Structure formats: C-alpha cells, structure tokens
Amino acid sequence: MAAIEATQATFTELISSSQPVLVDFWAEWCGPCQMMTPIVHELSDEFAGKAKIAKVDVDSNSELTVKYGVRNIPTILIFKDGEIVEKIVGTTTKKELQDRISKLV
C-alpha cells in the first residue's frame, strides 16, 4: 500500500485524525528523499489501520512547507490530534520511525 499523497487541500483533514499521522516532506529531485521513500511505503503497510502515512511534495505544496517550517528535506513530522509530536530532519532508519509511531498507537 502506498503512502497517501497529501496536498494543501487535504492536509488539515488528514492530520486531524485521532490516529498518529506520519508526514514525509520530500521532493523528486532530492536523493536522500528517494532513500526514505521505500521505508515510508513499508510503514504504510505495517501500520495500516493504526496510523496514517503520507507524503507531501514540497515543490507542489510550498504553503505547507512554509506553515510547518520545513527548511530541509527530507523532513518527517508526526502528528497526533492535529498537533506535531515528533520532527525528524534528514534521513533516519525504519526502526527509528517504527519506534516513534508505535509509542503513539
């Protein structure tokens, strides 16, 4: 299962979920972002029904990058009830993301 492609139009509703929501801010041209893509998609499968996993293309959704202070990519934000509870800038391991999501579900 692929991650949800979030946009400016769908973002507020997406993060308002009572489930944790992991959002990967990325771009097609970003090498480190490409390294994170398979991990994000695997997490989408692993946490199906327990957490939402989404991606935001920073080139297409610049309003969101400004609103959430995303200055470097990849940046991963984890929301719970509409609030940011975790922020990870740069690449990280699948285990690190699993641990951070697991403590919220």
Side-chain angles (χ1 to χ4, degrees), residues 3-7 11 14-15 20-26 40 52-58 64 68 70 74-79 84 86-88 97 101:
I4 300 163
E5 292 292 333
T7 64
F11 198 80
L14 173 72
I15 65 167
V21 182
L22 179 146
V23 182
D24 175 24
F25 286 82
W26 73 291
V40 170
K52 296 182 181 186
I53 311 296
K55 294 176 73 66
V56 171
D57 182 336
V58 297
L64 291 174
Y68 291 100
V70 175
T75 290
I76 293 177
L77 301 178
I78 302 176
F79 294 84
I84 297 172
E86 299 275 357
K87 181 176 184 175
I88 303 162
L97 294 175
I101 296 168

Side-chain angles (χ1 to χ4, degrees), residues 12-86:
T12 302
E13 182 180 345
L14 173 72
I15 65 167
S16 297
S17 172
S18 59
Q19 292 181 331
V21 182
L22 179 146
V23 182
D24 175 24
F25 286 82
W26 73 291
E28 191 72 42
W29 48 264
C30 167
C33 298
Q34 298 302 329
M35 292 170 40
M36 293 302 298
T37 295
I39 293 171
V40 170
H41 288 300
E42 288 169 21
L43 292 172
S44 182
D45 289 337
E46 289 177 28
F47 287 95
K50 293 184 259 174
K52 296 182 181 186
I53 311 296
K55 294 176 73 66
V56 171
D57 182 336
V58 297
D59 291 331
S60 304
N61 297 282
S62 58
E63 315 87 7
L64 291 174
T65 63
V66 171
K67 180 175 181 177
Y68 291 100
V70 175
R71 292 182 180 81
N72 299 300
I73 53 174
T75 290
I76 293 177
L77 301 178
I78 302 176
F79 294 84
K80 179 86 173 182
D81 298 317
E83 300 294 321
I84 297 172
V85 293
E86 299 275 357

